[in-house]
Amino acid sequence: MGNDWWRTAAIYQIYVRSFADSDGDGVGDLGGVRNRLDHLAGLGVDALWLTPFYASPMADGGYDVADYRAVDPLFGDLSDAEALIAEAHARGLRVLVDVVPNHTSSRHPWFVEALDSEPGSAARQRYVFRDGRDGDPPNDWESMFGGPAWTRVPDGQWYLHLFDPAQPDLNWQHPDVHAEFEDILRFWLDRGVDGFRIDVAHGLVKADGLPDVGRTDQAGLLTTRELPFFDQDGVHEIYREWRKILDSYPGERIAVAEAWVPSPDRLARYLRADELHQAFNFHYVETDWSAAGFREVVDASLAAVADVDAPTTWVLSNHDVRRHVTRYGGGERGLARARAAALLTFALPGSVYVYQGEELGLPEVTDLPDEVLTDPVWERSGHTDRGRDGCRVPLPWSGTAPPFGFGGPTWLPQPADWSAHTVEAQEGDPHSTLTLYRRALALRRELPETGLRWFDPAARDATGCDARADVLAFARGDGFVCTVNFGDVPVTLPRPGRPLLASHPGVAGDGGDPDPAGRENGDGVVTLPPNSAVWWSGDTHG
Ligand code: GLC
């Protein structure tokens, strides 16, 4: 396996409980992942990231870990994890696992001990216990899931939980916490994992004195301003320790930060040479569908990592955000935009993340009945925010009705009309989103390892008016061009080369069209349909 594999890797995110079910209980499991490794290898990704499968009361889908070295029986056992790692490696797929260091489960033996111990005791010092202020919480911090970030225990003290009360925050000033997590990293590295996704990597260290924020709606400020509980300078010392551990193992083991920080520059700090390898690019996730917005976020993302010699990551969806088909407007138009966004994203220099189901064009499920919702956000928000279950609905594999080959009934109900979204239905269909992803991921491997050069094609709409504001075009090296029409009307532009692949049926490279360049208007001018992207080889308008 080659050098610096992670710099250009396509990494597929598996939300284990919704990926594939091997025992028919309607909940995905490690056996399900093992059974579907050929699908993943065939898709053309380089690595898998598995969300937490550890022993957990599942107050937050497993991000509340009670035993970091055990597999929850819902998902299998340790031998399944070991077999999965070996079988993935046999197919050339690397495996990243999640590590959740900001908080444990409230059922973790440390927290149980802390609750049984006196205020001020050693056991309490592993967490963040404080006295209140005249019967109120120690400060004004809010949980990211809604409500106060503090819960009172029977003896009157309060403990901090930036997420659910079932997820008490650890105290990273305590040496036991450092030692324990170093040991957990080694436990999984010894089992062959290729690295870690670090949950809430920005949260471990809190500002001295735990000062008030001074305003409400703190979750909404995540990527816009400094907060006393996130992105404190002290977190970087932890990652320097962790990097030494990763580097002490053979074969380039990596870590990727989930860090919600105010700017691409702050994100780059996690990527300094002696810290982490990658960080998720949430500014990209948050970008609305517009040429100007995407150009700006691409430039800012590339500029931010230039000084630290780390690759950018490009992320369209994950298990915490609305699926991008829906974010971009839903329906046929949302799907067209999502397909175009995939080609745009896969053409950018750096590493890409694919969230399970985006290769099937899955939309967010927005009409889950109240009684099936499991995300703690739903309760904590007082039923005002429906939470993240809508992007976590089990994948449709085959057949024409739920559970679509998943096994079930599934833990969240699948929409009855998902039959066109199954892997089976899309397999072999030249126009399917699955085929588009396979082709794009295969071609992406051949892209030159160079930066990106924007150019300005003379794009026009049907009335001949300047349409450049809706079009992005860039070259990589001398032989590759990507063009994207963000607008809702077709545009024409000078043919940038030979079409390789298009996001839109009937356009370049789409499933063996005899003249895949769409409507060739003569004079070397081509038409790009609304909300579409095309990859070209040849001239680059350098
Ligand atoms: C991260 C996870 C999210 C989880 C939270 C608390 O943001 O991605 O799913 O709820 O951390 O662990």
Side-chain angles (χ1 to χ4, degrees):
M1 295 186 178
N3 268 347
D4 279 6
W5 64 271
W6 43 278
R7 287 185 177 273
T8 56
I11 302 176
Y12 185 94
Q13 179 188 353
I14 295 184
Y15 192 73
V16 177
R17 60 166 51 224
S18 301
F19 181 70
D21 178 14
S22 68
D23 58 9
D25 65 355
V27 178
D29 46 40
L30 296 180
V33 182
R34 289 172 65 189
N35 292 342
R36 302 291 182 172
L37 285 171
D38 286 334
H39 170 75
L40 297 166
L43 186 58
V45 294
D46 303 292
L48 314 176
W49 148 35
L50 305 169
T51 56
F53 49 78
Y54 315 114
S56 166
M58 306 290 166
D60 180 23
Y63 281 98
D64 47 321
V65 182
D67 183 347
Y68 291 82
R69 299 175 187 79
V71 174
D72 196 276
L74 200 55
F75 302 131
D77 60 25
L78 196 54
S79 70
D80 290 312
E82 288 170 338
L84 167 54
I85 295 164
E87 289 163 8
H89 285 171
R91 289 168 176 79
L93 295 167
R94 306 199 190 228
V95 179
L96 309 182
V97 296
D98 231 297
V99 60
V100 187
N102 181 67
H103 43 263
T104 67
S105 161
S106 53
R107 306 248 192 96
H108 188 285
W110 276 3
F111 195 71
V112 173
E113 189 190 341
L115 287 184
D116 285 346
S117 305
E118 301 290 307
S121 59
R124 286 215 174 167
Q125 281 163 22
R126 295 194 190 113
Y127 292 89
V128 186
F129 279 86
R130 291 288 187 279
D131 294 330
R133 286 193 294 208
D134 301 327
D136 287 332
N139 67 20
D140 70 355
W141 295 1
E142 293 170 353
S143 155
M144 295 299 104
F145 293 161
W150 297 91
T151 289
R152 195 173 194 173
V153 300
D155 59 38
Q157 275 211 312
W158 300 73
Y159 69 89
L160 177 68
H161 52 84
L162 292 178
F163 294 89
D164 194 77
Q167 295 168 300
D169 278 53
L170 284 162
N171 169 19
W172 274 88
Q173 314 277 338
H174 199 299
D176 284 2
V177 175
H178 287 249
E180 173 66 358
F181 276 89
E182 290 180 18
D183 194 68
I184 291 164
L185 296 183
R186 290 183 195 283
F187 179 87
W188 289 104
L189 289 165
D190 289 340
R191 273 156 191 78
V193 302
D194 299 280
F196 300 93
R197 177 263 188 190
I198 305 172
D199 188 63
V200 196
H202 53 301
L204 278 49
V205 174
K206 280 74 180 176
D208 282 345
L210 312 184
D212 283 338
V213 173
R215 56 162 284 182
T216 54
D217 285 333
Q218 294 164 14
L221 303 174
L222 270 185
T223 50
T224 59
R225 63 166 259 193
E226 275 177 51
L227 292 164
F229 44 79
F230 282 156
D231 195 32
Q232 299 295 306
D233 288 344
V235 295
H236 298 286
E237 281 159 41
I238 298 167
Y239 302 130
R240 290 192 187 103
E241 292 171 17
W242 288 17
R243 179 61 179 256
K244 287 185 202 134
I245 296 173
L246 293 167
D247 285 349
S248 73
Y249 280 78
E252 282 191 285
R253 316 286 176 109
I254 72 157
V256 50
E258 184 213 20
W260 296 85
V261 298
S263 68
D265 289 335
R266 292 295 299 185
L267 195 61
R269 294 162 60 88
Y270 292 75
L271 303 173
R272 290 175 287 196
D274 57 350
E275 295 191 42
L276 306 176
H277 299 74
Q278 296 184 339
F280 296 117
N281 187 345
F282 293 123
H283 293 94
Y284 194 72
V285 177
E286 289 177 336
T287 301
D288 291 334
W289 183 249
S290 80
F294 270 85
R295 178 156 180 167
E296 190 181 318
V297 72
V298 168
D299 281 340
S301 308
L302 292 173
V305 295
D307 292 341
V308 288
D309 188 34
T312 327
T313 65
W314 308 106
V315 184
L316 289 167
S317 279
N318 64 33
H319 66 293
D320 291 329
V321 300
R322 282 160 77 79
R323 284 188 176 273
H324 56 280
V325 167
T326 304
R327 283 203 323 271
Y328 296 153
E332 284 303 310
R333 190 169 74 160
L335 180 59
R337 290 176 172 177
R339 290 168 58 111
L343 286 200
L344 164 62
T345 303
F346 295 166
L348 296 170
S351 176
V352 297
Y353 280 80
V354 175
Y355 176 50
Q356 68 180 35
E358 67 170 83
E359 79 278 23
L360 305 174
L362 291 188
E364 182 84 1
V365 180
T366 52
D367 58 356
L368 288 169
D370 293 358
E371 61 275 13
V372 305
L373 298 178
T374 66
D375 186 349
V377 169
W378 171 236
E379 288 301 329
R380 297 277 304 167
S381 69
H383 295 185
T384 56
D385 181 340
R386 300 186 69 75
R388 301 160 295 175
D389 289 308
C391 64
R392 301 172 175 179
V393 171
L395 291 195
W397 290 94
S398 59
T400 54
F404 293 113
F406 188 88
T410 50
W411 71 278
L412 286 173
Q414 299 159 313
D417 63 357
W418 266 13
S419 56
H421 286 297
T422 65
V423 173
E424 183 182 57
Q426 299 199 26
E427 194 84 60
D429 171 357
H431 301 305
S432 73
T433 303
L434 179 58
T435 301
L436 180 73
Y437 267 65
R438 283 189 183 145
R439 291 206 175 122
L441 288 166
L443 284 171
R444 183 177 173 277
R445 291 179 185 279
E446 285 148 39
L447 292 186
E449 284 191 35
T450 59
L452 157 167
R453 197 174 67 250
W454 300 108
F455 65 93
D456 203 4
R460 310 226 161 258
D461 67 18
T463 63
C465 287
D466 189 333
R468 279 177 297 186
D470 276 334
V471 173
L472 286 187
F474 59 91
R476 298 271 307 275
D478 289 331
F480 177 82
V481 166
C482 175
T483 54
V484 188
N485 177 11
F486 286 81
D488 280 328
V489 298
V491 297
T492 59
L493 41 83
R495 173 190 275 275
R498 182 172 57 82
L500 293 172
L501 187 60
S503 67
H504 197 284
V507 192
D510 171 69
D513 241 31
D515 177 11
R519 274 163 292 148
E520 167 75 69
N521 303 352
D523 306 330
V525 172
V526 287
T527 304
L528 302 183
N531 302 304
S532 71
V534 185
W535 286 4
W536 312 86
S537 105
D539 311 340
T540 60
H541 295 236

